[in-house]
Amino acid sequence: MKKYIGILVKITGIMLAVILAVNIILTLIKRNPDSAYEKELEQTTFTAESEKESGGSRTWKKNVERIRCIDDNEEALLWRLRMIGNAKKSIVLSTFDLRPDNSGTKIIAALYAAAERGVQVQILIDGIYQKLFLEKSPVFQALTAHQNVEVGIYNPVTNLFRLNYRMHDKYLIIDESMYLLGGRNTNDIFLGDKKTGINVDRDILVYEESEGQGESLQELEKYFGRIWNEAQVRKTKKTYAVSYKEKYKSEYQQMEEQYRSLKEKYPDIEDYEKWKEATYEADKITLINNGTQAARKSPKVLQAIEYIAGQGEDVVIQTPYVICNSYMYQELKGISEKADLKIVLNAVEKGSNPWGCTDYLNQKENILDTGATVYELMNTHAVHTKTVLVDDNISIVGSYNLDMRSTYLDTELMLVIESKRLNEEIRDTENVYMEKSKEVKADGTETEGRLYKKKVLTPEKKRFYTFLKIIIRPFRHLL
């Protein structure tokens, strides 16, 4: 018997070693930039003015989509509830990290109320977080069981050789009239009125008066259609028993009570009408992505950002952290050779991602060698925002982190928005962030901003980072 146990242990060890090797080593092999996409970018017009001037057979038409920038976490929850509460036909929620915590359960309750009204609800979630947070959640299982709800799980945890390919998109589509897209996950860290243990982030609400005519909304709907039908998306199977409502009776009652309390706190979530007044015109909105497949990807989002930023003179990149390889450093250097490039990221003393902070300690010199000026931000809360500003009219907002995972492994979405008003609004925020930062120039010169509040790492934290600096090196492309 001992002999067979020993053989089994050896086989298990070999299998685990193979799984680790595939997940770590295979992902080291990066796909090259897409040359066909480079040509496509040259033919793409990202501004209304260039579209007017481009000529060709396509007739230029005025953009009908209006926008609102949402930076506050409680507002972010309220606008989601208003959108879901106003849905008449369909809802699509695609989210990386949905948890059945306080804010997540509020969204689940609102989706259940919409399904009860007859709205068709589709939810797309990342496979690993589904396994961690939702698989055993009675409330989420009750929502999934509803006849008007369908759930897709992107790359479920069934093939251990594909664990690294994640769905990092975050958007909400309502009917054919509006959507919200950004960097927020669907949980208490990013939504609601909590004051501690949170991250700051950014969403863009896009609304159109002429239903179904918005070009970026059409692009997003097509994108969702592609990813929803990917081979690696497992759909929920509807095996209704006559008594399914009885089975989840207590969960449905819980959601109904939750939704009643939401309507008491936010009385307008089902009859909000001031969409036009709450938004303003954008000249043009374009969606960029790096593909929907659960596999290694070409760095299309970074290619697009470099192409757009390379046409500007003043570029600001806001990212939670920077984890680059040689190609990505080359792209940053290409931008800084043409423009004044500033990178705003969380200071090591304040960042909520220990991996990103540690890699910055290892790679700070390489980042500065690109010619960028780095701002080490000491904000009250860690900033999870992903934004690129180009001159005074282009803002690129979405889910893409300036790291290798976002560049080569995960699905990512960014909106390229031409709007001087949005650009000015975001720049005002970035200017405050820079005042809260330590400015580090390419030559190593450091200057503390007017609002910078120095924080010293504890001896324990220093030892922790010293340890991590060594062990993350072989795995930094996965962080």
Side-chain angles (χ1 to χ4, degrees):
M1 187 67 176
K2 288 182 180 179
K3 178 182 176 182
Y4 292 117
I5 292 173
I7 292 171
L8 183 62
V9 169
K10 286 180 182 178
I11 292 172
T12 303
I14 291 169
M15 288 179 65
L16 288 173
V18 171
I19 289 169
L20 282 172
V22 169
N23 281 289
I24 295 171
I25 297 172
L26 184 62
T27 50
L28 274 169
I29 306 169
K30 302 293 185 289
R31 291 187 63 178
N32 292 326
D34 190 319
S35 56
Y37 187 61
E38 290 285 356
K39 293 177 182 176
E40 186 182 323
L41 286 171
E42 293 171 5
Q43 302 300 316
T44 303
T45 52
F46 290 101
T47 66
E49 196 58 39
S50 61
E51 191 172 65
K52 289 177 187 177
E53 295 170 354
S54 64
S57 57
R58 183 180 172 198
T59 304
W60 179 84
K61 62 179 181 180
K62 181 179 172 63
N63 182 45
V64 297
E65 295 173 318
R66 303 172 62 84
I67 58 173
R68 181 185 182 92
C69 182
I70 305 168
D71 283 353
D72 178 79
N73 284 12
E74 187 168 12
E75 276 193 31
L77 174 62
L78 175 57
W79 284 106
R80 282 166 170 78
L81 294 173
R82 283 172 172 166
M83 292 172 73
I84 295 169
N86 275 264
K88 303 294 188 295
K89 297 178 291 186
S90 64
I91 296 172
V92 168
L93 172 64
S94 179
T95 183
F96 178 61
D97 184 2
L98 168 61
R99 303 185 190 185
D101 54 15
N102 187 36
S103 296
T105 303
K106 288 175 180 176
I107 296 295
I108 290 171
L111 292 171
Y112 169 73
E116 281 287 274
R117 297 196 306 267
V119 177
Q120 299 301 306
V121 179
Q122 291 173 287
I123 304 171
L124 182 61
I125 48 182
D126 173 71
I128 289 180
Y129 277 140
Q130 180 270 339
K131 174 67 73 173
L132 289 174
F133 299 116
L134 298 174
E135 188 173 67
K136 295 182 179 179
S137 164
V139 170
F140 186 74
Q141 296 309 314
L143 176 66
T144 301
H146 196 284
Q147 61 184 350
N148 291 328
V149 177
E150 188 175 12
V151 174
I153 303 169
Y154 183 91
N155 197 22
V157 185
T158 52
N159 185 337
L160 298 181
F161 295 102
R162 307 180 68 90
L163 291 176
N164 272 311
Y165 306 115
R166 314 287 299 275
M167 200 258 340
H168 198 237
D169 309 333
K170 300 98 183 264
Y171 55 90
L172 175 66
I173 308 173
I174 303 300
D175 299 332
E176 291 186 331
S177 60
M178 68 181 91
Y179 69 90
L180 181 146
L181 186 150
R184 279 188 175 87
N185 294 307
T186 312
N187 57 52
D188 284 340
I189 301 170
F190 298 91
L191 300 173
D193 56 4
K194 275 187 65 180
K195 302 303 179 189
T196 59
I198 64 173
N199 278 196
V200 176
D201 216 312
R202 175 167 294 134
D203 298 313
I204 300 295
L205 169 62
V206 181
Y207 167 73
E208 57 159 304
E209 291 180 276
S210 15
E211 193 168 301
Q213 299 301 307
E215 290 188 31
S216 70
L217 175 56
Q218 292 175 23
E219 289 177 23
L220 184 56
E221 288 175 330
K222 287 176 185 175
Y223 175 88
F224 174 72
R226 289 196 303 273
I227 196 168
W228 183 257
N229 290 303
E230 280 284 352
Q232 282 77 39
V233 173
R234 187 184 73 204
K235 314 293 196 309
T236 52
K237 293 180 180 178
K238 296 297 184 184
T239 53
Y240 293 117
V242 176
S243 61
Y244 89 92
K245 285 207 169 184
E246 190 62 33
K247 178 181 178 181
Y248 293 108
K249 184 177 179 180
S250 63
E251 285 78 18
Y252 291 140
Q253 288 175 343
Q254 178 185 337
M255 285 190 273
E256 287 164 2
E257 178 58 36
Q258 175 77 271
Y259 194 63
R260 277 194 294 272
S261 67
L262 283 174
K263 288 199 289 184
E264 289 175 7
K265 185 172 183 179
Y266 308 113
D268 66 358
I269 58 177
E270 286 190 344
D271 53 16
Y272 185 79
E273 295 179 344
K274 298 180 180 179
W275 301 100
K276 185 174 180 179
E277 295 90 333
T279 54
Y280 51 87
E281 290 183 354
D283 295 319
K284 187 171 176 62
I285 307 175
T286 306
L287 185 75
I288 56 177
N289 69 87
N290 62 352
T292 58
Q293 73 278 15
R296 290 182 297 121
K297 300 172 180 66
S298 296
K300 288 185 175 180
V301 171
L302 183 58
Q303 284 180 263
I305 289 172
E306 192 278 336
Y307 176 78
I308 298 165
Q311 299 177 51
E313 296 178 355
D314 181 8
V315 177
V316 177
I317 296 177
Q318 167 90 60
T319 181
Y321 40 81
V322 173
I323 306 177
C324 291
N325 61 6
S326 57
Y327 165 73
M328 296 171 70
Y329 285 134
Q330 179 187 323
E331 293 292 270
L332 291 176
K333 190 172 183 179
I335 295 171
S336 68
E337 286 173 350
K338 301 170 187 174
D340 177 18
L341 174 61
K342 304 177 185 71
I343 299 176
V344 184
L345 47 71
N346 291 306
V348 171
E349 298 86 349
K350 202 66 185 178
S352 60
N353 184 309
W355 315 110
C357 292
T358 305
D359 197 73
Y360 180 71
L361 293 173
N362 282 336
Q363 297 283 319
K364 183 173 179 177
E365 222 174 276
N366 289 330
I367 298 170
L368 294 174
D369 282 346
T370 66
T373 299
V374 176
Y375 290 82
E376 299 175 355
L377 172 59
M378 291 286 283
N379 195 48
T380 305
H381 306 295
V383 179
H384 193 252
T385 305
K386 312 94 163 52
T387 296
V388 181
L389 302 175
V390 183
D391 294 340
D392 66 350
N393 64 325
I394 294 289
S395 306
I396 308 174
V397 181
S399 65
Y400 174 81
N401 295 307
L402 190 55
D403 65 13
M404 285 183 273
R405 169 162 288 283
S406 282
T407 303
Y408 297 102
L409 301 177
D410 296 349
T411 66
E412 301 291 353
L413 288 171
M414 298 289 275
L415 292 177
V416 183
I417 305 168
E418 184 194 9
S419 165
K420 289 183 181 293
R421 180 171 171 180
L422 175 65
N423 188 286
E424 182 180 6
E425 185 178 338
I426 295 176
R427 276 190 184 274
D428 286 345
T429 301
E430 294 302 325
N431 289 337
V432 173
Y433 284 161
M434 290 178 192
E435 289 287 352
K436 292 180 177 181
S437 302
K438 180 192 291 181
E439 178 191 75
V440 187
K441 290 189 174 293
D443 62 5
T445 305
E446 297 185 354
T447 307
E448 294 179 0
R450 182 175 54 88
L451 302 175
Y452 179 81
K453 292 183 179 179
K454 189 172 182 178
K455 181 180 178 181
V456 179
L457 287 175
T458 62
E460 293 79 10
K461 263 289 182 67
K462 285 181 180 178
R463 286 194 292 270
F464 175 68
Y465 280 127
T466 300
F467 173 67
L468 280 189
K469 282 171 72 174
I470 299 168
I471 67 166
I472 71 164
R473 291 179 187 273
F475 313 105
R476 61 187 297 269
H477 62 292
L478 303 176
L479 303 178

